[in-house]
């Protein structure tokens, strides 16, 4: 047999289910995003920088040859709709004869960053004697090393390759290295001999050697730098950062949620504690009602028994002196008959309240039945109990009563003798009370 779940428990289960669904959704989303970005980075995410007659960030395109170094080679540039054609007559006057292209990308110290590209594709054809070797020079302006008034102060990196028969060649950017001849000529410090292509202002593409004199024709359709919009290592860092961010966000959310649950649990605990205290108080009150008279608040007979047995423990703890005062309200039946039972109840309450004001905290007022009351006084002798009775009798004459009544009472007083049971003393006090009533009421009699 299953116990039904509480509404709060059901809500907690539903919240946990929704939270689990959200976690699963986010986790699946992150996995899909990660896989998609990695696949896209591998097969796509391409960026291309093209240098051609019709495209590219080129400030100027010119033909160059070795006449600037007192050589005799002559290069002539011809532009067509889709190519740059150089006709070059290589002659053996300069030690290293050459002809080629020069692409000026910037006329100041702000060049183009080519370090983010992975490969270079040359779409060109070469007609002429020799092995068709091609050399690429990259000029990089490096602050602190290069100056605008000295073109050769810009760091030169290079790569040599032989153009294949089909005329298209792709090389990785990583094989481009600092030109040793440049570091030797410039006497460059060792710490500045690293390859840098992050601020390129010019690119030269040349042909020629001492063994290839004659007429050469080079047709260049484009130079393309290929790269990724986001490099693989950077993409992985981004993905790791996204995962960490989501994890931290979830942890922060979970922490805030757990704190809220803790506050809610603490609040519920406080409420339960208060409720428990209230229930304990109510239990004590209910237990008290078992031992007290509901009308007057005085003890009933069971309350007197409990007080004597469980609380007072008078034998051996207190003096053996115990006095009993038996009280009966005079002509109380007349009050009920004349003014009604409600007034009678008010009289009883007023009497009990007046007595409680006059007796000690150790004295116990007991409603014995109807209009009869009993006062049990610990550590009290017969004479002291008689004085208490006289005091109560006098106080009743000065007390204000409902409906302007004037109430009196008869008192029977006795004290326990050594080893006597309290029941015997109560009977003796009851006899003294009967004697007081038969003696005209409103008096105290001692047994």
């Amino acid at each position: 047999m299953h116990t039904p779940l509480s509404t709060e428990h059901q809500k907690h289960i539903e919240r946990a289910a929704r939270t689990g669904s959200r976690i699963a959704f986010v986790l699946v989303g992150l996995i899909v995003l990660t896989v998609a970005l990695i696949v896209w980075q591998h097969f796509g995410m391409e960026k291309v920088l093209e240098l051609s007659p019709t495209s590219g960030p080129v400030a100027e395109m010119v033909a160059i040859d070795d006449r600037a170094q007192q050589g005799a080679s002559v290069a002539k540039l011809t532009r067509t709709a889709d190519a740059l054609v150089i006709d070059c007559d290589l002659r053996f006057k300069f030690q290293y004869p050459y002809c080629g292209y020069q692409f000026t990308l910037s006329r100041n110290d702000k060049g183009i960053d080519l370090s983010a590209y992975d490969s270079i594709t040359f779409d060109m054809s070469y007609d002429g004697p020799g092995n068709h070797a091609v050399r690429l020079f990259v000029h990089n302006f490096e602050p602190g090393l290069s100056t605008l008034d000295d073109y050769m102060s810009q760091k030169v990196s290079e790569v040599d390759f032989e153009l294949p028969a089909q005329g298209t060649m792709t090389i990785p950017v990583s094989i481009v290295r600092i030109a040793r001849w440049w570091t030797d000529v410039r006497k460059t410090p060792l710490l500045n001999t690293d390859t840098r292509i992050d601020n390129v202002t010019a690119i030269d593409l040349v042909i020629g050697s001492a063994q290839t004199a004659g007429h050469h024709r080079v047709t260049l359709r484009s130079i393309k730098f290929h790269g990724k919009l986001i490099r693989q290592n950077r993409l992985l860092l981004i993905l790791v950062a996204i995962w960490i961010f989501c994890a931290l966000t979830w942890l922060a959310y979970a922490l805030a949620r757990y704190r809220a649950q803790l506050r809610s649990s603490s609040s519920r605990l406080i409420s339960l504690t208060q409720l428990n205290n209230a229930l304990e108080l109510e239990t004590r009150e209910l237990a008290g009602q078992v031992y007290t008279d509901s009308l007057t608040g005085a003890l009933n007979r069971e309350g007197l028994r409990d007080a004597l047995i469980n609380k007072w423990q008078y034998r051996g703890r207190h003096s053996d002196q115990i006095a009993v005062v038996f009280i009966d309200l005079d002509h109380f039946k007349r009050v009920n008959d004349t003014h009604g039972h409600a007034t009678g109840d008010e009289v009883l309450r007023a009497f009990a309240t007046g007595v409680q004001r006059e007796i000690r905290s150790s004295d116990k007022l007991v409603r014995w039945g109807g209009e009869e009351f009993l006062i049990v006084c610990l550590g009290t002798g017969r004479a002291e109990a008689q004085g208490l009775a006289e005091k109560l009798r006098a106080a009743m004459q000065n007390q204000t009563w409902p409906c302007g009544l004037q109430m009196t009472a008869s008192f029977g007083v006795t004290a326990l003798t050594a080893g006597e049971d309290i029941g015997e003393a109560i009977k003796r006090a009851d006899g003294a009370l009967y004697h007081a009533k038969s003696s005209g009421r409103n008096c105290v009699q001692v047994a």
Side-chain angles (χ1 to χ4, degrees):
M1 181 174 180
H2 297 284
T3 303
L5 295 175
S6 66
T7 303
E8 186 63 28
H9 192 191
Q10 289 177 340
K11 290 182 179 179
H12 177 73
I13 293 175
E14 291 173 359
R15 285 196 298 266
R18 288 195 298 268
T19 301
S21 299
R22 286 195 291 266
I23 293 175
F25 178 79
V26 173
L27 185 60
V28 171
L30 283 176
I31 293 174
V32 171
L33 176 65
T34 300
V35 173
L37 287 177
I38 291 176
V39 171
W40 182 33
Q41 199 278 338
H42 183 75
F43 294 102
M45 206 181 286
E46 295 283 344
K47 67 174 181 178
V48 178
L49 175 64
E50 181 178 345
L51 303 181
S52 69
T54 59
S55 169
V58 180
E60 185 180 16
M61 290 182 290
V62 298
I64 56 175
D65 53 41
D66 57 26
R67 285 179 291 177
Q69 288 78 32
Q70 286 75 46
S73 300
V74 177
K76 180 181 178 181
L77 176 65
T78 303
R79 295 173 181 265
T80 66
D82 61 350
L84 296 172
V85 180
I86 284 185
D87 289 292
C88 174
D89 291 320
L90 283 177
R91 299 170 185 172
F92 296 149
K93 184 176 181 181
F94 179 55
Q95 183 179 5
Y96 303 104
Y98 68 87
C99 294
Y101 305 87
Q102 184 174 79
F103 298 88
T104 301
L105 306 180
S106 173
R107 300 186 185 279
N108 52 42
D109 60 351
K110 302 298 181 183
I112 296 176
D113 184 5
L114 298 180
S115 63
Y117 296 90
D118 302 314
S119 63
I120 312 171
T121 298
F122 301 89
D123 184 5
M124 57 190 299
S125 57
Y126 188 163
D127 295 320
N131 57 6
H132 296 179
V134 179
R135 178 172 294 177
L136 176 71
F137 296 104
V138 180
H139 300 265
N140 196 79
F141 191 98
E142 190 170 325
L145 183 66
S146 308
T147 58
L148 291 175
D149 56 355
D150 183 4
Y151 179 72
M152 288 306 296
S153 67
Q154 298 188 48
K155 183 178 288 187
V156 180
S157 299
E158 64 178 358
V159 63
D160 297 335
F161 60 93
E162 186 173 337
L163 195 67
Q166 68 270 21
T168 300
M169 180 70 175
T170 298
I171 62 172
V173 172
S174 59
I175 67 173
V176 178
R177 290 290 183 265
I178 188 76
R180 302 311 307 174
W181 60 264
W182 180 84
T183 60
D184 294 340
V185 171
R186 301 298 299 183
K187 295 182 173 54
T188 308
L190 179 63
L191 295 179
N192 290 330
T193 58
D194 58 324
T195 301
R196 295 279 294 275
I197 56 172
D198 57 351
N199 192 33
V200 178
T201 60
I203 294 175
D204 299 340
L205 186 64
V206 301
I207 61 170
S209 68
Q211 290 77 33
T212 57
H215 182 76
H216 300 258
R217 168 170 283 193
V218 180
T219 301
L220 177 65
R221 283 171 288 276
S222 67
I223 302 176
K224 293 181 180 179
F225 294 84
H226 300 273
K228 298 290 185 179
L229 293 174
I230 305 176
R231 286 195 167 187
Q232 188 179 47
N233 56 350
R234 178 172 293 184
L235 176 63
L236 293 178
L237 286 176
I238 291 173
L239 290 173
V240 169
I242 291 174
W243 277 89
I244 292 175
F245 173 78
C246 291
L248 292 177
T249 301
W250 172 248
L251 286 175
Y253 166 76
L255 181 60
R257 183 167 170 267
Y258 290 146
R259 284 179 175 174
Q261 289 178 348
L262 180 60
R263 288 194 296 268
S264 178
S265 298
S266 299
S267 177
R268 287 198 298 270
L269 181 60
I270 292 172
S271 298
L272 289 173
T273 301
Q274 293 174 343
L275 178 59
N276 185 57
N277 293 337
L279 290 175
E280 288 182 357
L281 179 60
E282 185 175 355
T283 300
R284 289 194 296 270
E285 290 177 350
L286 290 174
Q289 290 176 9
V290 174
Y291 300 114
T292 58
D293 176 55
S294 60
L295 177 63
T296 62
L299 293 176
N300 55 25
R301 297 191 184 197
E302 188 66 25
L304 174 61
R305 176 181 175 277
D306 181 72
L308 291 174
I309 294 177
N310 299 322
K311 297 182 179 180
W312 286 8
Q313 300 177 358
Y314 55 91
R315 295 296 183 185
R317 182 174 176 183
H318 294 279
S319 170
D320 285 343
Q321 286 187 316
I322 299 178
V324 178
V325 179
F326 217 136
I327 310 169
D328 182 89
L329 293 176
D330 296 332
H331 305 297
F332 181 75
K333 184 177 182 301
R334 187 185 303 168
V335 174
N336 283 334
D337 293 341
T338 305
H339 299 280
H341 288 280
T343 301
D345 290 344
E346 290 184 26
V347 169
L348 292 174
R349 281 194 293 268
F351 172 73
T353 302
V355 171
Q356 293 284 15
R357 284 197 301 264
E358 300 295 336
I359 64 178
R360 302 170 303 179
S361 60
S362 61
D363 299 333
K364 299 302 177 183
L365 175 65
V366 182
R367 187 180 181 189
W368 199 249
E371 68 274 17
E372 293 182 336
F373 290 84
L374 196 70
I375 302 175
V376 178
C377 307
L378 288 178
T380 303
R382 184 181 293 106
E384 293 172 309
Q386 182 180 2
L388 173 62
E390 290 290 353
K391 177 182 174 183
L392 294 175
R393 190 183 66 82
M396 288 184 64
Q397 297 177 3
N398 299 322
Q399 184 171 340
T400 300
W401 298 93
C403 299
L405 294 171
Q406 184 62 47
M407 299 299 299
T408 62
S410 300
F411 298 81
V413 179
T414 191
L416 273 73
T417 60
E420 184 181 17
D421 183 81
I422 192 170
E424 295 298 326
I426 292 174
K427 290 180 181 179
R428 193 164 56 252
D430 185 37
L433 172 61
Y434 179 78
H435 184 57
K437 293 175 67 175
S438 60
S439 300
R441 293 184 173 87
N442 191 24
C443 63
V444 177
Q445 291 294 331
V446 180

